Amino acid sequence: MLVYPSGIDLSSATLRYLTGLLAARRRERGTRWRRLTCGRQALLVLAHLRCGHTYTQLAAGFGVGVATVYRYVAEAVEILTAHACDLATAVRSAIRTAFVILDGTLLPIDRIAADRPFYSGKHKKHSMNVQVIADPLGRLLWASPALPGAVHDVKAARTHGIVDALTDAGVRCWADKGYQGAGGTVCVPYHGRWDKLSAGQRAVNASHAKIRALGEQAIAALKTWRLLRKLRCSTTRITDLVKAILALHRVTSR
């Protein structure tokens, strides 16, 4: 396999942050020697998460075995998952904002037609459903655990307790028509065909769409981590990957 120099569009602060976490883990375990230093392991993990490089590509580039790459990535993801903020923390942060934007996104996965629970009939592909909360400026606050792609957005929001958490905290939430009937503080546009709505309802829906469009920035920020654009791992690992990326995103967005 050919190897060539490349770059990762992340700051050195992100590399230092992950290196520090890995170094602390090695001290905790009393690790004496490994093939790669903490900094090189952190760089390997960031290349996997940010650029979506496969284990085989990383093994060739860093001069280690594929099994070693797997262990390095799994260790880093486990550490980052523990540092990811939960829903309660995100809601406390949202209290200081005027409102939040709730939206769902699908993460494509590599599955066969027999895996019906993961098939989204709306988007015609196998995927995992992740709920995203953004602030009024479109900045990512929180991303939920992953559910099968066949799960509807409003059901996913209720399953994760998002509606109850926002309502209990008194945080207003803007969402699209996929959250009809969510209740609480979730605001959705008027339902119905555009030509059947009154002039006032059309104006409300247009204003609602302008506000909600900012939530797409948070989803775009999440998917700048190119591993999430096509996941080929077990579906049981996707939630941990999302949490790990969320923890790193908080560092990169500071």
Side-chain angles (χ1 to χ4, degrees):
M1 183 177 293
L2 298 177
V3 179
Y4 68 99
S6 183
I8 305 175
D9 55 342
L10 292 172
S11 67
S12 58
T14 307
L15 180 63
R16 290 194 299 269
Y17 171 74
L18 183 53
T19 300
L21 294 179
L22 294 172
R25 172 60 66 88
R26 293 190 185 187
R27 288 193 300 269
E28 177 186 341
R29 292 183 171 180
T31 302
R32 294 185 178 181
W33 178 87
R34 288 192 183 180
R35 185 71 179 271
L36 297 182
T37 63
C38 294
R40 294 287 288 173
Q41 180 183 355
L43 187 63
L44 182 151
V45 173
L46 292 177
H48 177 62
L49 298 178
R50 186 71 171 187
C51 304
H53 294 326
T54 65
Y55 293 160
T56 303
Q57 292 171 326
L58 294 172
F62 285 84
V64 295
V66 174
T68 301
V69 173
Y70 176 84
R71 289 195 300 270
Y72 279 168
V73 171
E75 180 184 38
V77 168
E78 179 186 352
I79 296 171
L80 290 169
T81 298
H83 287 77
C85 70
D86 56 10
L87 178 59
T89 303
V91 171
R92 285 196 296 270
S93 300
I95 292 176
R96 298 191 294 268
T97 66
F99 59 89
V100 296
I101 304 168
L102 174 63
D103 202 355
T105 185
L106 294 180
L107 306 180
I109 60 175
D110 188 11
R111 282 294 179 270
I112 60 176
D115 296 324
R116 299 302 297 176
F118 301 99
Y119 185 78
S120 171
K122 177 180 179 181
H123 295 87
K124 309 299 182 184
K125 61 183 178 182
H126 293 83
S127 56
M128 299 293 286
N129 183 309
V130 172
Q131 299 294 298
V132 173
I133 297 179
D135 68 5
L137 298 178
R139 294 174 298 199
L140 177 64
L141 293 178
W142 182 74
S144 75
L147 293 175
V151 177
H152 197 272
D153 280 340
V154 67
K155 182 178 179 180
R158 288 170 176 163
T159 300
H160 298 308
I162 299 174
V163 177
D164 291 339
L166 293 175
T167 302
D168 292 343
V171 178
R172 300 286 291 178
C173 174
W174 263 246
D176 60 24
K177 293 180 181 179
Y179 297 88
Q180 289 281 350
T185 57
V186 178
C187 302
V188 297
Y190 287 103
H191 184 69
R193 293 174 57 88
W194 182 261
D195 56 350
K196 300 294 184 181
L197 299 177
S198 65
Q201 291 174 329
R202 293 179 185 178
V204 170
N205 280 10
S207 177
H208 189 283
K210 290 180 181 179
I211 296 173
R212 187 171 47 78
L214 294 173
E216 297 295 333
Q217 296 181 19
I219 294 177
L222 186 66
K223 292 188 176 180
T224 55
W225 300 83
R226 287 180 280 278
L227 180 68
L228 299 181
R229 297 180 186 178
K230 184 64 175 180
L231 290 157
R232 295 177 174 84
C233 61
S234 169
T235 56
T236 59
R237 296 184 56 219
I238 294 177
T239 291
D240 286 344
L241 288 173
V242 172
K243 288 183 178 180
I245 288 173
L246 181 63
L248 289 171
H249 178 78
R250 292 176 60 193
V251 179
T252 60
S253 60
R254 289 174 185 172

